[in-house]
């Protein structure tokens, strides 16, 4: 363990006092932040040489970000339990028998959620709810079923205080899926996030139009290209956290991100970036992730001791690492400026092709780098287009076109996205605020989804331009709750603060309305 300086100790003490005295944090939020402050004093990892100058620097120079995972990871970042196994077998540790009706099914799930850890301290995946609940739907009449589902979703919204929590439905239409969409349309809640797995020919138009109507009221569900994810991750995959494709019964050990724009700032020109600076940072981040994973597997004790593993709800060999990035657009634009070239990412063919070249370098590096504990993904990390942090300034999420620079025509934007979605097995997505008139023509959104997925786009999100619930990046917040927090009032959900930061620094309220 490395020596902790008194300066670090004093900074942590000051931070702890600020947390304790904060008028805008709830008791639960204070406990979470205090735990993070304690973890920040731990230095148990064997860090690669050169990491410090890339990680522990101001945000405008930071090239690698650990996304607040802490210095002593005691559990994987994202945990994806096999809830179907739980519903079939119950849990010895939780002293729960398999449910016999809808009452017991919902009660058992709510109990289980409180025992699923993650980086947020809340479950980032709450299950394929339509498939889990469909066997129990006929144990009560439809009116009672809808009332129970409504109470269930309210309970999640009030107790899982983080909208990185994610549920799935689809691709097949079900009674449970239909009622869940009706409930979410009425509630307009930010939690849980929701994805519908869509496959043309399997998901019928009537079910999709109900989902589109729900999205225009509550900014969810988002829509995942089921055929694309299934081909890469098999049928045993889920969409968790923001929009992460992950193996069912496993998850992600860790997620770190490259800040590509800041790496470009270090380079003399395009050639220097591609041949020296980018490979240098790629290697250091991979070594850092290797060490985080090693500690979790070999030293943390999670995989030996937690009941989720002991009872088979997750298995270590179903976990992988997520190799994230942000700021491809920023990177390309900075490199063009250094070369004195005209053109911007998203608008110029040469700029877009440079983006593709950069992604090919990253993909090739990842395919050559091997981690012994990532068996589920062939020994390689899963690439992920990370969505950004509240404190990010002038950092564009993933491979998106910067807000305010979107092409005038939607098809032109989709054609750019088509070049990049294929790289990100573990998640990428784009967001489209929709004009109010679309409420009278939801078929317009359905046609966009069908056309985009035929082009092999991976993941799309929509929300109405006047909706209180809005999609920030991969998570949801309420405008009304952000306004409360901005006035210094406490709010229920942790992600409201992230949304407020993103609205000020990331200009998320200024997206082009379609």
């Amino acid at each position: 363990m490395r020596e902790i300086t008194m300066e670090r100790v004093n900074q942590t003490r000051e931070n702890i006092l600020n947390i304790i005295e904060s008028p805008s944090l709830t008791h639960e939020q204070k406990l979470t932040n205090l735990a993070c402050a304690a973890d920040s004093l731990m230095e148990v990892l064997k860090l690669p040489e050169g990491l410090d100058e890339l990680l522990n620097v101001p945000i405008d120079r930071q090239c690698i970000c650990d996304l607040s995972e802490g210095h002593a990871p005691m559990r994987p970042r994202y945990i994806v339990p096999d809830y179907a196994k739980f519903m079939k077998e119950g849990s010895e540790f939780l002293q729960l028998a398999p449910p016999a009706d809808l009452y017991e099914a919902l009660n058992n799930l709510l109990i289980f959620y409180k025992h699923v850890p993650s980086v947020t301290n809340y479950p980032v995946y709450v299950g394929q709810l339509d498939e889990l609940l469909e066997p129990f739907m006929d144990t009560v009449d439809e009116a009672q079923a809808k009332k129970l589902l409504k109470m269930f979703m309210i309970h999640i919204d009030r107790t899982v205080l983080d909208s990185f929590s994610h549920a799935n439905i689809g691709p097949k239409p079900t009674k449970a899926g239909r009622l869940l969409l009706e409930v979410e349309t009425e509630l307009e809640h930010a939690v849980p996030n929701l994805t519908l797995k869509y496959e043309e020919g399997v998901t019928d138009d009537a079910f999709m139009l109900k989902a589109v109507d729900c999205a225009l009221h509550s900014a969810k569900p988002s829509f995942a290209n089921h055929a694309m994810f299934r081909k890469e991750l098999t049928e045993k995959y889920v969409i968790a956290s923001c929009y992460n494709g992950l193996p069912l019964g496993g998850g992600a050990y860790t997620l770190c991100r490259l800040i590509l724009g800041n790496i470009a700032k270090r380079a003399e020109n395009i050639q220097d970036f591609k041949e020296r600076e980018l490979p240098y940072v790629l290697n250091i981040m991979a070594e850092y992730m290797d060490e985080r994973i090693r500690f979790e597997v070999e030293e943390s004790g999670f995989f030996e001791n937690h009941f989720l593993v002991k009872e088979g709800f997750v298995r270590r060999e179903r976990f992988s690492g997520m190799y994230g990035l942000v700021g491809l657009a920023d990177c390309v634009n900075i490199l063009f400026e250094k070369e004195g070239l005209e053109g911007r990412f998203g608008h110029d063919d040469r700029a877009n092709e440079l983006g593709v070249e950069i992604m090919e370098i990253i993909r090739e590096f990842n395919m050559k780098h091997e981690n012994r504990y990532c068996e589920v993904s062939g020994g390689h990390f899963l690439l992920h287009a990370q969505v950004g942090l509240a404190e990010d300034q002038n950092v564009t999420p993933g491979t998106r076109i910067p807000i305010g620079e979107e092409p005038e025509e939607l098809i032109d934007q989709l054609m750019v996205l088509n070049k990049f979605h294929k790289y990100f097995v573990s998640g990428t997505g784009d967001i489209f605020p929709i004009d109010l008139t679309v409420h009278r023509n939801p078929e317009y959104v359905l046609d966009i989804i069908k056309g985009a997925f035929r082009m092999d786009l991976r993941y799309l999100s929509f929300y109405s331009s006047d909706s209180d619930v809005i999609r920030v990046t991969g998570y949801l917040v309420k405008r009304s709750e952000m306004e409360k927090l901005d006035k210094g009032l406490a709010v229920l959900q942790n992600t409201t603060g992230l949304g407020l930061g993103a609205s000020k620094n990331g200009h998320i309220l200024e997206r082009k309305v379609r």
Side-chain angles (χ1 to χ4, degrees):
M1 183 180 296
R2 293 189 295 173
E3 182 180 353
I4 305 299
T5 66
M6 281 307 301
E7 181 181 6
R8 282 279 307 280
V9 172
N10 290 333
Q11 288 175 346
T12 301
R13 285 174 173 166
E14 183 178 355
N15 184 33
I16 288 172
L17 185 59
N18 289 336
I19 292 168
I20 291 171
E21 295 179 347
S22 173
S24 60
L25 293 176
T26 65
H27 176 70
E28 290 77 11
Q29 291 164 356
K30 287 182 179 182
L31 291 178
T32 297
N33 290 348
L34 287 171
C36 290
D39 186 84
S40 71
L41 288 175
M42 299 299 294
E43 295 286 358
V44 297
L45 302 178
K46 302 170 185 176
L47 303 181
E49 185 178 349
L51 177 66
D52 194 60
E53 66 169 352
L54 301 174
L55 177 69
N56 300 313
V57 291
I59 188 65
D60 62 334
R61 292 191 287 117
Q62 189 180 64
C63 296
I64 295 173
C65 173
D66 67 358
L67 292 167
S68 303
E69 289 189 3
H71 301 290
M74 62 181 179
R75 42 81 196 110
R77 181 182 181 94
Y78 298 134
I79 296 173
V80 178
D82 185 344
Y83 289 107
K85 178 180 173 67
F86 167 64
M87 298 294 265
K88 182 180 179 180
E89 301 175 6
S91 168
E92 180 180 355
F93 177 78
L94 296 178
Q95 303 173 50
L96 291 172
D101 57 29
L102 187 59
Y103 293 92
E104 292 181 0
L106 297 176
N107 185 57
N108 283 13
L109 285 173
L110 291 174
I111 293 170
F112 198 93
Y113 295 155
K114 291 177 172 59
H115 299 274
V116 180
S118 76
V119 70
T120 67
N121 295 316
Y122 298 102
V124 295
Y125 176 65
V126 294
Q128 180 84 27
L129 291 182
D130 54 350
E131 292 183 2
L132 292 174
L133 300 176
E134 188 69 10
F136 307 100
M137 295 305 293
D138 292 335
T139 61
V140 297
D141 63 47
E142 184 163 317
Q144 187 70 4
K146 185 172 180 179
K147 181 176 182 179
L148 289 170
L149 289 177
K150 193 169 188 177
M151 294 170 63
F152 174 71
M153 299 307 279
I154 290 172
H155 188 109
I156 293 176
D157 183 73
R158 302 304 193 274
T159 60
V160 179
L161 306 179
D162 189 289
S163 64
F164 286 112
S165 184
H166 211 123
N168 295 175
I169 59 173
K172 296 178 181 179
T174 59
K175 180 180 180 179
R178 173 175 60 81
L179 291 179
L180 283 165
L181 289 172
E182 290 179 9
V183 164
E184 287 299 272
T185 301
E186 296 170 10
L187 291 176
E188 299 187 14
H189 284 166
V191 180
N193 206 334
L194 180 65
T195 288
L196 190 152
K197 300 174 179 178
Y198 174 76
E199 184 173 6
E200 195 166 358
V202 177
T203 317
D204 65 42
D205 285 1
F207 191 59
M208 279 295 287
L209 290 173
K210 185 173 284 289
V212 169
D213 181 59
C214 184
L216 294 176
H217 282 87
S218 63
K220 60 182 171 180
S222 294
F223 301 91
N225 187 334
H226 180 58
M228 192 173 187
F229 276 107
R230 182 182 58 201
K231 181 179 179 181
E232 297 159 335
L233 295 173
T234 78
E235 289 279 359
K236 295 184 177 182
Y237 84 93
V238 310
I239 305 297
S241 187
C242 50
Y243 48 37
N244 310 346
L246 292 172
L248 175 66
Y253 296 112
T254 184
L255 164 60
C256 295
R257 65 173 186 165
L258 306 161
I259 306 178
L260 292 173
N262 287 344
I263 302 174
K265 292 176 186 177
R266 294 165 56 97
E268 295 180 6
N269 50 41
I270 292 175
Q271 182 178 357
D272 184 49
F273 173 83
K274 292 195 294 186
E275 295 181 359
R276 187 174 64 89
E277 289 294 348
L278 181 58
Y280 172 73
V281 180
L282 289 173
N283 188 63
I284 289 179
M285 191 167 91
E287 290 183 358
Y288 179 43
M289 290 175 61
D290 286 342
E291 172 60 9
R292 297 189 65 84
I293 292 170
R294 183 204 63 77
F295 181 85
E296 285 180 26
V297 173
E298 298 178 7
E299 297 188 42
S300 75
F302 175 84
F303 292 102
E304 290 78 27
N305 302 319
H306 203 282
F307 87 95
L308 289 174
V309 183
K310 288 183 174 182
E311 297 189 23
F313 301 122
V314 297
R315 294 183 299 163
R316 192 214 49 80
E317 60 270 22
R318 298 284 295 169
F319 283 80
S320 187
M322 294 170 61
Y323 200 82
L325 61 87
V326 288
L328 181 65
D330 315 325
C331 175
V332 168
N333 292 338
I334 289 169
L335 291 174
F336 260 48
E337 291 171 7
K338 286 178 177 282
E339 296 276 9
L341 299 173
E342 295 183 358
R344 302 278 292 177
F345 181 87
H347 297 270
D348 179 87
D349 288 342
R350 292 180 304 170
N352 296 338
E353 286 308 310
L354 177 57
V356 171
E357 291 175 26
I358 292 168
M359 282 308 311
E360 282 294 325
I361 293 170
I362 296 171
R363 184 198 64 80
E364 183 178 357
F365 170 84
N366 186 53
M367 292 309 295
K368 290 181 178 178
H369 183 83
E370 294 191 3
N371 182 288
R372 61 184 294 197
Y373 294 125
C374 294
E375 303 98 318
V376 71
S377 50
H380 310 294
F381 300 136
L382 298 170
L383 295 187
H384 174 73
Q386 204 269 331
V387 292
L389 299 176
E391 58 266 29
D392 283 345
Q393 296 187 27
N394 303 314
V395 177
T396 304
T399 61
R400 293 180 192 165
I401 299 169
I403 291 173
E405 297 186 27
E406 302 96 334
E408 190 65 30
E409 298 297 328
L410 178 59
I411 185 61
D412 293 332
Q413 185 171 355
L414 294 175
M415 292 298 290
V416 176
L417 307 182
N418 171 252
K419 297 177 182 293
F420 301 102
H421 276 212
K422 62 185 178 183
Y423 293 104
F424 299 102
V425 175
S426 190
T428 187
D430 282 85
I431 303 169
F432 303 97
I434 298 295
D435 185 81
L436 297 176
T437 58
V438 176
H439 282 285
R440 297 191 291 271
N441 184 24
E443 291 84 358
Y444 167 74
V445 176
L446 179 54
D447 287 343
I448 294 172
I449 296 168
K450 287 182 176 180
F453 286 176
R454 288 168 188 163
M455 295 166 58
D456 284 336
L457 270 74
R458 184 179 297 277
Y459 195 87
L460 300 175
S461 301
F462 304 87
Y463 61 89
S464 176
S465 56
D466 72 331
S467 174
D468 186 29
V469 183
I470 62 171
R471 184 166 294 277
V472 178
T473 49
Y475 62 95
L476 310 176
V477 298
K478 286 191 171 186
R479 299 178 202 254
S480 54
E481 291 291 285
M482 288 196 295
E483 290 170 3
K484 288 181 186 176
L485 184 61
D486 200 27
K487 295 176 182 178
L489 302 176
V491 293
L492 192 62
Q493 288 152 357
N494 298 337
T495 31
T496 302
L498 302 181
L500 180 61
S503 70
K504 294 183 176 183
N505 296 327
H507 310 290
I508 55 143
L509 301 180
E510 301 169 27
R511 293 185 180 117
K512 185 174 181 62
V513 177
R514 299 296 183 178

